[in-house]
Amino acid sequence: MASLTALYQALPISSEHIRVGSQSGCGGIAAARIDLAAAQTYEFVDATPPPRENDMYEDQELVDFCVTNVREGIEEEFYALFGKLPTVRVVLHKVLPHAVDSNEMINRHAGRTVVRLALRNVGLDDVPSPTSSHKVIRPRPTGSSSGTT
């Protein structure tokens, strides 16, 4: 089991934006990005942006579905790593609502994966590697239209 002391010493932690699964690959696709900070008790904050307007494939119900299942994956991973929910504030910034490829299992998997990667990236070596492939989504550069800064 991972060390809660090591977790608390590493706070605050920001994860990279990750994506798991593959679009139209039958298993689904999901994404997540989180921040972890010290708190008096376990807290979960949904800071995901609202659905894009005029997008017939994205609505608040789908965003909420993704958030709920990513949250469950995050909490499952904390229980698996620490035996309980740590006293941290989890802020979820990103999910991937997709009318065809969003499902409960892949969103839970995204929650578990984003926790593992975030903790491993700050040096918690006793956290296992993610159990399946994932992709880190780098922010797009800002600046000129050529994509350079």
Side-chain angles (χ1 to χ4, degrees):
M1 208 169 274
S3 164
L4 278 171
T5 301
L7 169 66
Y8 297 140
Q9 290 173 344
L11 295 174
I13 299 169
S14 291
S15 79
E16 296 175 294
H17 173 193
I18 61 101
R19 185 172 63 206
V20 296
S22 62
Q23 191 167 357
S24 301
C26 297
I29 189 169
R33 187 174 71 77
I34 60 172
D35 288 332
L36 304 173
Q40 294 298 315
T41 185
Y42 177 80
E43 300 174 31
F44 179 86
V45 178
D46 174 8
T48 58
R52 295 174 293 201
E53 287 188 35
N54 303 321
D55 187 337
M56 63 186 234
Y57 298 109
E58 192 174 307
D59 62 26
Q60 190 62 50
E61 186 176 338
L62 183 56
V63 171
D64 293 344
F65 171 84
C66 294
V67 167
T68 296
N69 288 289
V70 169
R71 176 185 185 168
E72 288 176 6
I74 289 167
E75 293 172 357
E76 287 170 3
E77 192 60 28
F78 281 141
Y79 276 111
L81 294 173
F82 305 109
K84 64 180 183 177
L85 292 176
T87 55
V88 295
R89 175 182 302 110
V90 178
V91 180
L92 177 63
H93 294 281
K94 185 78 175 167
V95 295
L96 178 59
H98 192 281
V100 174
D101 291 315
S102 288
N103 65 60
E104 178 180 325
M105 181 185 73
I106 198 69
N107 277 285
R108 287 177 131 182
H109 186 66
R112 293 189 76 137
T113 300
V114 76
V115 168
R116 283 190 183 196
L117 285 175
L119 299 184
R120 287 183 62 82
N121 286 345
V122 295
L124 273 74
D125 296 327
D126 53 350
V127 173
S129 294
T131 57
S132 70
S133 64
H134 60 277
K135 180 177 181 180
V136 174
I137 311 296
R138 303 279 182 223
R140 290 185 179 156
T142 58
S144 70
S145 61
S146 66
T148 60
T149 54

